[in-house]
């Protein structure tokens, strides 16, 4: 019986390093192709009820899981399994592109180019940029960097450590579907319910691991923990609140407040204690997300390697026949 843990650990490490070096591909990204396929399927499956949405979500995610299992079975030998895992890891991670976009936003705002910042904001989140000044753009970008540190990096690499290529693909598919249909609006409140709830389940543990990594990587663990404990539960998302509150505490800023989307205004609870973020705080958040991403990668590789060590210990302690 072969050991999958060593190729998995090596593949996760290589995939993370590939993302650090290159970021997301500019054209033909597999996640974008999945989104196109999901939108095409939605034209056939859409009904304004939860059952139809659950079937739509299940069909797509079961397909991704089957693809992941198939790729692992086709990869014969440790080198092939390592390369398949590395390719899948690189495909689903988005941490480097997140950090680069956050740094780009900080640079635009630091030189006073609010119009360029408004143009860039849709790359980070779905808020209405026309309603935001420089500090509003900095807050929106910082909140997106915090939330997506978990969604785009920590969660997928942890699911890769636990469940290999199927875990990587299913997680990224679920997160993409949540972004596409997990909205509280007239079209998707019922149809997107299953996608949104499943994404919440998959992100529950990774969001809290993100909070712990923020505490460890920020140099201000007590402040991050205080904000997490005091404010995370106020956020409408059970997971985004952990990441955003821990970032707010670590950076000594206050997030939340009036949040303008294209068709609605939300009054978000405040997270953390301190002044509202400015562009310099966004640049600090970018540095923090890079450290958290690296720490999460080390943790994921360690989890994968621990499985191999545990099997060795078990084999040594088994009685001989």
């Amino acid at each position: 019986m072969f050991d999958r843990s060593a190729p998995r650990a090596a593949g996760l490490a290589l995939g993370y390093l590939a993302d650090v070096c290159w970021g997301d591909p500019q054209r033909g990204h597999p996640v974008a192709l999945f989104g196109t396929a999901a939108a095409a399927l939605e034209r056939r499956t859409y009904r304004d009820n939860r059952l139809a949405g659950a079937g739509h979500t299940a069909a797509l995610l079961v397909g991704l899981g089957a693809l992941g299992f198939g790729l692992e079975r086709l990869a014969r030998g440790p080198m092939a399994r390592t390369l398949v895992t590395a390719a899948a890891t690189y495909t689903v991670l988005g941490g480097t592109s997140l950090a680069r976009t956050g740094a780009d936003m900080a640079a635009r705002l630091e030189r006073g180019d609010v119009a360029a910042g408004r143009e860039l904001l849709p790359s980070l989140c779905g808020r209405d940029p026309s309603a935001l000044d420089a500090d509003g753009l900095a807050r929106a970008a910082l909140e997106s960097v915090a939330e997506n540190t978990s969604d785009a990096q920590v969660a997928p690499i942890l699911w890769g450590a636990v469940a290999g290529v199927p875990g990587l693909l299913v997680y990224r598919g679920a997160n993409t579907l949540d972004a596409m249909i997990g909205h509280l609006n007239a079209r998707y409140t019922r149809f997107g319910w299953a996608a949104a709830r499943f994404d919440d389940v998959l992100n529950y543990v990774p969001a809290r691991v993100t909070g712990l990594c923020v505490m460890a990587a920020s140099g201000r663990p007590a402040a991050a923990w205080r904000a997490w404990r005091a404010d995370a539960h106020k956020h409408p998302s059970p997971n985004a609140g952990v990441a955003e509150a821990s970032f707010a505490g670590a950076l000594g800023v206050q997030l939340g407040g009036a949040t303008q989307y294209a068709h609605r205004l939300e009054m978000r609870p405040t997270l953390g204690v301190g002044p509202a973020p400015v562009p310099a705080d966004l640049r600090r958040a970018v540095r923090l997300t890079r450290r958290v991403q690296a720490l999460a990668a080390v943790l994921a590789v360690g989890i994968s390697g621990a499985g191999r060590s545990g099997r060795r210990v078990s084999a040594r302690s088994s009685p001989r026949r």
Side-chain angles (χ1 to χ4, degrees), residues 20 53 85 109 224 245 253 259 263 268 276 280 295 300:
V20 170
T85 303
L109 297 179
V253 299
T259 303
H263 303 294
R268 292 283 181 86
L295 184 56

Side-chain angles (χ1 to χ4, degrees), residues 167-235:
L168 290 163
L169 299 188
V170 170
Y171 173 79
R172 179 50 65 208
N175 192 245
T176 302
L177 285 176
D178 179 57
M180 293 178 68
I181 65 174
H183 305 295
L184 293 175
N185 58 29
R187 179 175 175 84
Y188 290 125
T189 295
R190 286 176 286 276
F191 184 77
W193 178 85
R197 297 291 77 76
F198 189 59
D199 183 73
D200 285 344
V201 170
L202 291 184
N203 278 296
Y204 187 84
V205 171
R208 283 141 187 88
V209 173
T210 300
L212 294 174
C213 289
V214 170
M215 290 172 60
S218 67
R220 301 186 70 217
W225 168 245
R226 281 195 299 269
W228 174 358
R229 183 180 60 183
D231 299 329
H233 67 279
K234 302 175 186 175
H235 197 283

Side-chain angles (χ1 to χ4, degrees), residues 17-62:
L17 292 174
D19 182 65
V20 170
C21 292
W22 299 310
D24 290 337
Q26 297 300 306
R27 295 182 180 179
H29 197 300
V31 175
L33 296 177
F34 171 78
T36 300
L41 181 64
E42 182 185 330
R43 290 193 287 271
R44 295 178 176 271
T45 59
Y46 180 80
R47 301 290 186 278
D48 188 18
N49 61 68
R50 289 183 175 183
L51 183 61
H56 173 81
T57 300
L60 288 163
L61 298 185
V62 168

